[in-house]
Amino acid sequence: MEKTWRWFGPDDKITLDMLRQIGVEGIVTALHHIPNGEIWTYDEVMKMKNFIESHGLRWSVVESLPVSESIKYAGPDRDELIGKYIESLANLGKAGVRTVCYNFMPVLDWARTDLDYPNPDGTTNLYFNRGEFAYFDCCILKRPGASADYDESTLSRMEEIKSRMTPEQEHRLVENIIVKTQGFVNGNITENDAAPVEKFRSLLKLYEGVDRDTLRGNMKYFLEAIMPVCNEYDINMCVHPDDPPLQILGLPRIVTCDEDIRWFLDAVPDPHNGLTFCAGSLSGGAHNDVPALARKYASRTHFVHARICNVMPNGDFKESSHLDPRLIDVIRTFERENPGVPMRVDHAPLMLGDEKMGYNAGYSFHGRMLALGMVSGIMAAVNTDNN
Ligand code: DNO
């Protein structure tokens, strides 16, 4: 696999020169300064590409070219927005940037309740606490009928959390779930929003009446519309699985499991319609056998995210080590079946001073560097076995 790294542009505290020193070969980035839904012009794409290349690296993957909410729920301006998306793709294609990651998650991109959950060794990790998530849904968002979506034991955990929740903790939960994890990925809510919960409620309203089948239809419509430009420029689209791979907050989610992946690949059977194999997102659902999914979908995978989670019996999940045997299995599969695919490590712990640097959640320097070292070691060992 090509060793890549998610870099957030010239303002990222981690510089391209630092990345060259640690064995990174390709860069994963986006034009984060261009608002969601606007065209990425050829000039802006080339500016970024030239900047990366002037540091001896290449722009391997776009993560993400964001799909506007209105394309997902089929708003009145969806064709206009798809037209702009096609233009951005053409400009990327002309510049030779040919792998584009996106997601089709309504309203909320990835979700976590805790961004610095302490590990016994003094590092911290991302964590998803199902009880706290239920508290956010039922007691902060106050979504009508929300409690019906949780089982008895989660609801009793939620009651216990409620009895000791302070206003500061509540604020932190809102920040973690809908603010700090969203702004830097060009999500709907940013740190500048004064009333994030109200804004979030109005976004949820856009999806009233949109069920899984409707969302699937909208994804198919979008993919069919963009496939001609992808064919013209040989652009590989790769959808990111839903994180977590579960139905949440009453919203439909359609990239959660084997059957979902099979569906969207078959619905638009063009090889340019592919998957971002985010082992970590898929592993957040106990229903997914991640190594088996890697074997099944390696050939339709255009981008790999190397990380993996442990799901606990109560539905909580936490990032596991990059040396987890399931991840070793996944890496072995890709090294054998799709060795040129770009891969980046993801969601590594905060360690050795990372916590003071204000990095985007999940995107530490030391933690990711260690993870890249681990994954590189696994790749080297696997390739020795292959020979
Ligand atoms: C979180 C990321 C996601 C991902 C998008 C892709 O850390 O994995 O935000 O970039 O879902 O569109």
Side-chain angles (χ1 to χ4, degrees):
M1 297 184 284
E2 181 194 20
K3 293 170 197 163
T4 67
W5 182 279
R6 191 176 196 179
W7 173 77
F8 292 97
D11 293 337
D12 196 321
K13 295 183 184 91
I14 302 165
T15 66
L16 295 175
D17 290 335
M18 289 160 77
L19 298 181
R20 256 201 4 257
Q21 292 193 21
I22 63 168
V24 169
E25 297 162 341
I27 293 301
V28 175
T29 196
L31 301 184
H32 288 288
H33 58 288
I34 300 186
N36 208 322
E38 286 184 18
I39 294 171
W40 291 14
T41 62
Y42 178 72
D43 283 357
E44 286 293 323
V45 169
M46 282 309 294
K47 222 191 275 174
M48 177 61 90
K49 186 174 185 246
N50 289 335
F51 185 81
I52 294 170
E53 289 179 355
S54 71
H55 289 79
L57 290 160
R58 55 178 172 261
W59 186 357
S60 304
V61 180
V62 172
E63 182 176 359
S64 294
L65 181 56
V67 178
S68 307
E69 224 50 63
S70 167
I71 297 178
K72 296 177 191 167
Y73 67 83
D77 53 350
R78 86 160 147 175
D79 289 331
E80 190 194 324
L81 286 161
I82 292 177
K84 290 184 176 175
Y85 201 97
I86 290 171
E87 269 194 62
S88 298
L89 286 175
N91 292 333
L92 285 163
K94 283 179 202 146
V97 183
R98 301 215 167 86
T99 304
V100 177
C101 170
Y102 68 102
N103 73 71
F104 223 79
M105 288 177 250
V107 184
L108 192 67
D109 197 317
W110 64 305
R112 292 292 181 283
T113 55
D114 205 333
L115 309 182
D116 43 18
Y117 184 86
N119 291 318
D121 61 8
T123 62
T124 64
N125 258 119
L126 302 169
Y127 192 95
F128 183 89
N129 179 312
R130 203 165 158 70
E132 288 182 358
F133 195 78
Y135 179 86
F136 168 77
D137 194 1
C138 302
C139 306
I140 300 179
L141 203 55
K142 302 190 170 69
R143 185 172 62 88
S147 59
D149 289 354
Y150 300 94
D151 60 21
E152 273 311 311
S153 70
T154 304
L155 291 174
S156 65
R157 265 181 95 194
M158 182 187 87
E159 287 305 325
E160 189 271 319
I161 289 166
K162 193 172 174 178
S163 67
R164 56 176 170 79
M165 183 63 82
T166 65
E168 292 71 32
Q169 286 169 333
E170 188 164 298
H171 176 74
R172 192 153 168 258
L173 199 54
V174 170
E175 290 275 304
N176 290 350
I177 299 176
I178 62 173
V179 184
K180 285 191 180 159
T181 41
Q182 304 301 305
F184 77 91
V185 293
N186 292 79
N188 288 306
I189 294 186
T190 69
E191 315 240 349
N192 301 327
D193 284 305
V197 175
E198 284 68 25
K199 185 167 178 193
F200 196 78
R201 281 197 195 103
S202 61
L203 286 158
L204 287 183
K205 276 212 165 39
L206 298 171
Y207 284 86
E208 272 169 13
V210 178
D211 60 12
R212 274 172 59 82
D213 285 346
T214 313
L215 191 65
R216 278 184 165 186
N218 297 347
M219 183 176 178
K220 183 164 190 256
Y221 183 91
F222 165 72
L223 285 170
E224 280 173 345
I226 65 170
M227 277 304 118
V229 75
C230 294
N231 276 298
E232 188 178 347
Y233 293 101
D234 194 20
I235 295 175
N236 285 328
M237 295 299 296
C238 38
V239 71
H240 189 284
D242 303 332
D243 179 2
L246 310 165
Q247 311 304 309
I248 56 169
L249 305 173
L251 293 164
R253 306 261 258 182
I254 54 169
V255 192
T256 64
C257 60
D258 189 5
E259 194 250 323
D260 283 353
I261 298 171
R262 185 79 277 147
W263 180 84
F264 85 82
L265 291 177
D266 288 351
V268 181
D270 184 310
H272 295 104
N273 169 31
L275 176 67
T276 295
F277 195 91
C278 179
S281 299
L282 293 165
S283 65
H287 55 280
N288 286 324
D289 177 346
V290 179
L293 291 176
R295 281 189 282 279
K296 196 158 173 188
Y297 296 112
S299 67
R300 291 291 291 271
T301 294
H302 299 315
F303 185 25
V304 173
H305 286 183
R307 68 179 178 89
I308 199 112
C309 292
N310 284 322
V311 184
M312 281 142 249
N314 62 6
D316 287 8
F317 64 84
K318 181 173 173 247
E319 308 287 340
S320 174
S321 161
H322 287 74
L323 292 175
D324 186 301
R326 291 167 298 158
L327 195 56
I328 295 175
D329 195 329
V330 167
I331 291 166
R332 184 183 296 114
T333 298
F334 283 105
E335 283 296 271
R336 287 186 181 157
E337 309 291 330
N338 194 347
V341 73
M343 172 283 304
R344 71 169 179 86
V345 295
D346 200 10
H347 296 185
L350 289 171
M351 62 197 304
L352 305 172
D354 283 334
E355 60 286 358
K356 299 190 198 88
M357 295 299 289
Y359 295 133
N360 293 328
Y363 293 92
S364 63
F365 181 61
H366 293 121
R368 272 193 294 165
M369 180 169 72
L370 179 60
L372 178 62
M374 291 172 171
V375 172
S376 301
I378 299 168
M379 286 167 61
V382 160
N383 288 325
T384 308
D385 292 351
N386 283 353
N387 293 330

